[in-house]
Amino acid sequence: MRLSEAVKREIKQFKKVFARQPEILVLAPGRANIIGEHTDYTGGLVFPAAIDTRIDFLVSGNGSNTVRLYSDTYQESCEFNLDEKLKRTHHWSDYIKGVVCELKKAGYQVDGFNALIGGDLPIGSGLSSSAAFEMAVSEGCAQLFGYAPMDPEKQIKLCRKAENQFVGVSCGIMDQFIIRMGRKHHGLYLDCRSLEYELIPIPSDDLVFVIVYSGVKRGLGATAYHERQKQCERGRLFFNALNKSLRSLRDVNEDLLQVSRENMDPLIFKRCRHVITENTRVKRAVEALRKPDMVLFGELMNLSHESCKNDFEVSCEELDLLVDLARNVPGVLGSRMTGAGFGGCTISLVARNRVDEFERYVGNLYNRTTGIVPEFYITHAEDGVSAVRL
Ligand code: GLA
């Protein structure tokens, strides 16, 4: 494998910080959710892709009981002892501690190691830097301590558990799943209940996905995210009380939702309408992709945004502005917020020959209105996590 200039620089930095060579390099991509937002934790359908911005995790054993870390991103070192009871400290090292705890609980050996965390995946921008981080750590340990390849499903669930229990965010399974299972030029159609999935080719000759970071840190501030989860659960209980066979919102169709409207709390109705219609949109988007009918695909992305904004209320002014501006550019087939919302990124399906115009127009007008310089990522679907011995 040819190492990029960035990785060569990280290797040098590793040697400088730890006075030894890294043994393993793990590359963990970020994820862009193309469609299917806030459906994973209700056992619904999603269609994300792994992208070509990523976390680099360089690691080597150090023969001690201590984990020594250096974040290239924060230019900060820290360490912890494996014999101590590890606790959450609301620091970036929580992701490493969380994965280490879960690995040990599951009976995997973890000894002391030195690790440098780098890469170009922006942190807290809604491209799932947390799941990428967790996946990188589990893969690094698996390679270093000899249990690679881990069973993919086990690895995915273990990383999710680290986030749910150690970090304290009760995320769904989508991010860890795509970061482990993503494939170049493909999106991943995932049933978050059965965990059945299918990789669907994404035509990339004439069209590209452009991700725009709004510059607003995704204040997921777990609170609003957890509140949405509770509201979905209330919706689920409502339908389950009507009919025991309705196990999740996934089993409720739009007709039943509509006839139930007058008996439902209006807010819960809206939340359920988002989830139920979003599942349908994911199915239709995948059918559109198979044809391929990219115009329909783009329309479904647009509808998904409206639903996130109006029914699920997880967008924000900046994301709405980016979406509105994107839709003014000729050659844009669809645009929507991606990820948990409340800041973070949008994703737009753009004709390849219009990308420059897109960047100019959206960049200038967004900056003029908000004072923020947005960041653009012209992305391609990439492979999931990978590792090389250096
Ligand atoms: C975050 C979570 C995911 C998912 C999305 C919303 O990224 O980590 O599990 O719930 O929000 O679709």
Side-chain angles (χ1 to χ4, degrees):
M1 184 197 176
R2 267 196 57 222
L3 299 176
S4 68
E5 287 310 311
V7 168
K8 284 186 198 155
R9 199 191 52 74
E10 287 164 352
I11 293 177
K12 257 198 203 150
Q13 182 67 11
F14 187 104
K15 287 190 217 158
K16 201 166 140 200
V17 176
F18 299 114
R20 61 175 94 185
Q21 292 273 358
E23 287 170 54
I24 313 265
L25 164 68
V26 182
L27 306 174
R31 71 97 186 86
N33 192 14
I34 302 173
I35 192 162
E37 215 63 82
H38 286 277
T39 50
D40 63 347
Y41 51 79
T42 61
L45 304 172
V46 292
F47 188 66
I51 56 174
D52 50 2
T53 46
R54 45 168 220 241
I55 283 194
D56 299 343
F57 187 70
L58 289 80
V59 63
S60 68
N62 63 18
S64 76
N65 288 352
T66 304
V67 173
R68 298 196 179 90
L69 304 167
Y70 178 77
S71 162
D72 203 33
T73 320
Y74 296 115
Q75 307 206 335
E76 186 186 74
S77 298
C78 74
E79 60 178 58
F80 60 88
N81 192 298
L82 286 165
D83 299 330
E84 281 165 19
K85 186 169 163 38
L86 299 177
K87 286 204 202 88
R88 184 190 309 164
T89 53
H90 302 282
H91 182 254
W92 53 265
S93 56
D94 284 357
Y95 295 97
I96 304 201
K97 291 178 185 164
V99 173
V100 165
C101 275
E102 289 305 328
L103 283 168
K104 285 169 93 180
K105 267 198 233 161
Y108 294 105
Q109 173 81 14
V110 182
D111 299 324
F113 60 84
N114 299 336
L116 177 145
I117 305 102
D120 58 356
L121 185 60
I123 310 290
S125 63
L127 299 177
S128 209
S129 49
S130 19
F133 200 176
E134 291 147 11
M135 200 46 80
V137 178
S138 66
E139 188 59 31
C141 288
Q143 297 283 343
L144 205 55
F145 305 119
Y147 35 90
M150 284 175 81
D151 170 65
E153 200 172 309
K154 214 167 171 186
Q155 191 172 6
I156 290 164
K157 288 183 172 163
L158 191 142
C159 289
R160 179 186 179 193
K161 225 165 148 200
E163 175 122 10
N164 289 171
Q165 304 197 345
F166 197 94
V167 179
V169 176
S170 68
C171 63
I173 202 163
M174 166 172 74
D175 300 347
Q176 289 80 4
F177 206 100
I178 181 63
I179 290 166
R180 177 67 180 78
M181 306 303 282
R183 169 106 50 92
K184 207 172 173 62
H185 304 309
H186 291 72
L188 185 133
Y189 180 29
L190 173 66
D191 178 329
C192 297
R193 181 153 71 185
S194 66
L195 299 189
E196 277 170 35
Y197 70 94
E198 195 186 335
L199 289 156
I200 316 269
I202 299 180
S204 57
D205 289 348
D206 308 326
L207 292 168
V208 287
F209 285 108
V210 180
I211 291 171
V212 188
Y213 176 41
S214 63
V216 180
K217 281 259 176 215
R218 185 181 53 100
L220 176 62
T223 341
Y225 183 80
H226 292 155
E227 188 184 79
R228 296 301 182 282
Q229 288 184 327
K230 282 195 198 124
Q231 291 162 344
C232 289
E233 179 57 11
R234 276 178 62 193
R236 186 190 76 79
L237 290 172
F238 172 88
F239 287 105
N240 187 256
L242 289 183
N243 180 340
K244 286 282 163 241
S245 72
L246 304 174
R247 286 186 296 132
S248 68
L249 288 180
R250 173 74 184 284
D251 303 318
V252 180
N253 62 37
E254 285 171 48
D255 290 344
L256 176 59
L257 175 75
Q258 287 305 340
V259 298
S260 309
R261 184 171 191 159
E262 60 190 34
N263 298 322
M264 291 178 79
D265 176 324
L267 185 73
I268 303 301
F269 170 81
K270 281 203 319 181
R271 302 298 191 244
C272 292
R273 182 165 62 187
H274 167 73
V275 172
I276 293 165
T277 56
E278 186 76 349
N279 281 328
T280 310
R281 280 187 289 274
V282 176
K283 266 191 227 156
R284 293 186 62 207
V286 169
E287 282 160 22
L289 203 54
R290 289 189 209 275
K291 282 186 181 156
D293 179 347
M294 298 313 281
V295 171
L296 174 59
F297 190 91
E299 275 166 23
L300 291 160
M301 288 177 70
N302 286 338
L303 290 172
S304 167
H305 183 78
E306 298 316 307
S307 181
C308 285
K309 173 181 167 186
N310 301 319
D311 275 355
F312 218 63
E313 295 176 288
V314 287
S315 189
C316 64
E317 271 177 29
E318 291 85 353
L319 291 176
D320 292 341
L321 176 62
L322 283 175
V323 162
D324 289 342
L325 292 172
R327 290 178 189 164
N328 287 341
V329 181
V332 171
L333 298 186
S335 183
R336 59 179 293 274
M337 55 156 274
T338 180
F342 315 108
C345 294
T346 61
I347 181 167
S348 306
L349 183 58
V350 186
R352 194 177 278 283
N353 59 3
R354 297 288 192 168
V355 170
D356 290 346
E357 189 178 344
F358 178 96
E359 277 198 42
R360 245 192 337 267
Y361 178 84
V362 175
N364 284 340
L365 285 180
Y366 184 74
N367 180 244
R368 213 176 289 166
T369 317
T370 61
I372 303 169
V373 180
E375 286 164 29
F376 292 85
Y377 301 89
I378 321 296
T379 46
H380 305 277
E382 273 300 326
D383 285 332
V385 70
S386 62
V388 278
R389 208 156 263 282
L390 294 168

